[in-house]
Amino acid sequence: MGRPSDVLATTATKIGAPTGTDLLYQDRVNPQWVRLLDVLQMNARYTRCEGTELFTEDGRRILDFLSGYCVHNLGHNHPAIVDALKDELDRRGPAMLQSHVPGLAGELADKLCWRAGGRVNKVFFCSSGSEGVEAAIKFSRAHTHRNGMLYAEGAFHGLTCGALSLMGDPFWRESFGPMLPETESVPYANLEALERKLSTRRFAAFIVEPVQGEGGVRVPPPAYLEMAQALCRRYGTLFVADEVQTGMYRTGRFLASHHFNVEPDMVILAKALSGGLIPSAAVLMSDEVYESVYGSLGRAIVHTSTYSENSLAMRAGLAAIDALERERLGDRALAAGDFLRTRLRAALSGYEMVREVRGLGLLNGIEFQTPHKLALRAPFEAFAKIHPGMFGQVVVMRLFRQGFVTQMCGNNFMVLKVSPPLIVNEREADAFVDAVAEVVEMMHCSGTFWSEALGLAQRAILK
Ligand SMILES: Cc1ncc(COP(=O)(O)O)c(C=O)c1O
């Protein structure tokens, strides 16, 4: 491994080679990530990102249909967020003083609680979704004096140790054990299984994504969440909504919970909360939960996080809510989601490898399935044997070549996530549908799609 100056010197002489900082990233941060992007032929160098558009050094314009996993509800670098951050810096106000009352946090907490409604009345701020989940684990234990945590199969709640203990997929867990004890799963949308577990009265909380994101964009049956909440109440278990992906109008309402008539005891927000430029997360909770954690003077700082109420994140959060509502992006998400799903269903109907197009607002998924016809099944199964994610990555690679950033769901390699910024327009949605239709036509009718998979497999081995 060379020293930084050696690396920079080498790049200076190469035309079209990675820049010095890219090489330093490769050298010092995560070489395997660079390798993976190279294998997928997605290692573009972005120079400017605005709204739904990403511009690359080699002159390409790419549309973002992933939104950084539901971070960019407002699109990239929204002027209102950029201006709010610049203003806050220019103000030279208290930041990280840790010895004052940060009023901006109060203002943001008030706005969040009013919009969330229901039981929540207090907010704990932190800096990531996982950190929010960790807080929810601690708070629900403190409130119920129980240790158990219940989660749904297929869930994604984050990769810190506690949050990871609430995710069953061995891919994420391998070599990081042991997990937190007394964490158990139930099948998603199965009330009988849920009641069996809850009736043991061992569980402090049931944590659930109102629409499962990485599990495959699974929208629950209409009554599931309401019934699950009622069961939780019956057995003294807190009902916790992980709205890290679904919150901030992603599904058309401020919270996805609002579609399902539930009033969670805790709600976790992150990702789009602060407009896509600065980390922030929030755990909204009832007064009763707050009291059981911070209930006396001596416990005022019993759970904190250094950057939690920092003024930049708070200003960005206020600006994000304001911009989302001024631009009526909830309504737009509902309308654009309907439009996208209708167009996708029409374009993809009749293809045997497309199982379903589903979603809520602008959190959507296209589920693929194993083909029946032998001519398709043989290559499909062969590549699935090499790696179960191979098929999906060829889809993602093809779409990237056509000018779209997408990804398969992290816990379900057969579902392509379709979650553009909420500002996406019909022209962009139409272009996306055309691109997906072309890729799907190709996977059914041309050997090129499958030879691409072969190329991908070879690059993965040789790289
Ligand atoms: C539903 C959900 N919860 C929690 C998390 C963890 O958030 P973070 O990556 O900010 O820690 C994620 C991340 O993708 C998520 O999708």
Side-chain angles (χ1 to χ4, degrees):
M1 191 187 294
R3 284 167 295 140
S5 52
D6 298 339
V7 176
L8 288 167
T10 321
T11 41
T13 58
K14 283 190 191 165
I15 296 167
T19 62
T21 51
D22 286 4
L23 273 185
L24 289 176
Y25 181 96
Q26 189 167 328
D27 202 18
R28 298 290 192 192
V29 184
N30 188 345
Q32 297 295 359
W33 173 241
V34 178
R35 208 180 136 212
L36 183 61
L37 285 174
D38 284 341
V39 165
L40 297 174
Q41 299 181 330
M42 289 177 68
N43 194 359
R45 229 173 284 154
Y46 298 98
T47 48
R48 192 163 56 86
C49 305
E50 256 180 50
T52 52
E53 299 176 311
L54 317 171
F55 298 93
T56 66
E57 199 177 71
D58 58 359
R60 293 185 68 197
R61 169 184 171 269
I62 293 168
L63 292 180
D64 185 357
F65 267 63
L66 181 65
S67 301
Y69 299 92
C70 301
V71 167
H72 295 294
N73 289 7
L74 283 166
H76 291 259
N77 291 305
H78 192 289
I81 308 297
V82 173
D83 289 348
L85 292 173
K86 281 185 183 163
D87 270 6
E88 189 54 35
L89 287 170
D90 286 342
R91 190 167 77 98
R92 290 182 172 50
M96 315 315 305
L97 191 56
Q98 314 292 19
S99 308
H100 75 307
V101 174
L104 286 174
E107 196 179 335
L108 180 56
D110 186 54
K111 286 201 157 56
L112 294 174
C113 288
W114 275 111
R115 279 155 185 78
R119 301 185 154 210
V120 297
N121 243 343
K122 292 277 191 299
V123 179
F124 166 73
F125 287 106
C126 48
S127 303
S128 73
S130 307
E131 211 190 337
V133 172
E134 298 294 331
I137 295 172
K138 285 177 71 176
F139 294 3
S140 52
R141 284 177 164 181
H143 184 69
T144 60
H145 306 290
R146 297 175 180 178
N147 293 338
M149 293 294 302
L150 205 51
Y151 62 95
E153 286 171 11
F156 193 101
H157 292 302
L159 299 179
T160 51
C161 258
L164 183 58
S165 304
L166 308 179
M167 288 171 37
D169 192 326
F171 169 77
W172 303 109
R173 288 181 166 204
E174 194 191 319
S175 76
F176 296 123
M179 297 292 113
L180 276 190
E182 299 184 57
T183 49
E184 294 179 31
S185 65
V186 281
Y188 185 67
N190 182 330
L191 289 166
E192 275 171 34
L194 180 64
E195 181 159 22
R196 264 198 305 279
K197 294 275 189 196
L198 290 175
S199 63
T200 63
R201 296 182 188 269
R202 289 188 289 114
F203 295 98
F206 172 50
I207 180 166
V208 65
E209 300 156 83
V211 175
Q212 261 196 353
E214 298 310 312
V217 189
R218 294 165 79 189
V219 183
Y224 168 64
L225 291 171
E226 209 179 336
M227 304 279 282
Q229 175 181 270
L231 288 174
C232 285
R233 303 257 145 93
R234 182 181 308 162
Y235 295 108
T237 296
L238 295 180
F239 181 76
V240 180
D242 180 343
E243 297 248 15
V244 167
Q245 287 208 30
T246 52
M248 305 302 287
Y249 296 105
R250 168 56 57 184
T251 68
R253 311 281 299 269
F254 180 67
L255 301 178
S257 295
H258 291 158
H259 289 283
F260 301 103
N261 199 27
V262 286
E263 295 186 348
D265 300 291
M266 277 188 263
V267 175
I268 305 158
L269 291 168
K271 296 203 189 271
L273 170 61
S274 47
L277 286 172
I278 193 141
S280 187
V283 181
L284 284 55
M285 70 198 102
S286 65
D287 284 321
E288 293 76 19
V289 171
Y290 169 84
E291 278 299 317
S292 40
V293 179
Y294 299 98
S296 66
L297 196 59
R299 289 179 66 83
I301 53 165
V302 74
H303 185 78
T304 60
S305 175
T306 300
Y307 275 86
S308 74
E309 294 162 2
N310 79 81
S311 52
L312 287 175
M314 300 300 103
R315 271 297 289 270
L318 288 165
I321 293 181
D322 189 51
L324 284 161
E325 293 176 355
R326 199 176 50 246
E327 296 177 26
R328 306 182 67 82
L329 293 186
D331 293 342
R332 280 182 66 176
L334 283 174
D338 282 343
F339 176 80
L340 245 181
R341 285 187 299 279
T342 307
R343 289 277 287 109
L344 281 168
R345 282 176 189 137
L348 304 180
S349 73
Y351 286 106
E352 65 163 308
M353 291 187 69
V354 178
R355 181 170 179 178
E356 193 181 23
V357 174
R358 58 174 177 260
L360 192 57
L362 278 174
L363 181 56
N364 295 290
I366 303 171
E367 180 165 13
F368 294 94
Q369 62 186 353
T370 311
H372 302 296
K373 282 195 205 103
L374 186 63
L376 286 177
R377 207 174 68 225
F380 180 89
E381 284 175 350
F383 288 115
K385 261 192 206 127
I386 301 173
H387 190 287
M390 179 85 85
F391 163 78
Q393 288 316 307
V394 179
V395 174
V396 168
M397 234 168 66
R398 277 266 156 207
L399 283 170
F400 187 70
R401 216 171 290 163
Q402 302 213 22
F404 295 91
V405 169
T406 58
Q407 233 337 317
M408 305 308 281
C409 291
N411 285 342
N412 189 336
F413 295 149
M414 291 303 276
V415 179
L416 180 76
K417 205 139 174 240
V418 182
S419 52
L422 310 187
I423 55 168
V424 68
N425 63 38
E426 283 193 7
R427 207 169 2 92
E428 292 165 336
D430 270 331
F432 177 75
V433 174
D434 292 346
V436 174
E438 204 172 302
V439 172
V440 168
E441 166 72 15
M442 184 181 285
M443 77 177 67
H444 285 80
C445 305
S446 142
T448 319
F449 181 90
W450 300 102
S451 57
E452 190 89 68
L454 193 60
L456 176 63
Q458 278 164 348
R459 281 197 302 283
I461 293 161
L462 293 176
K463 263 261 167 195

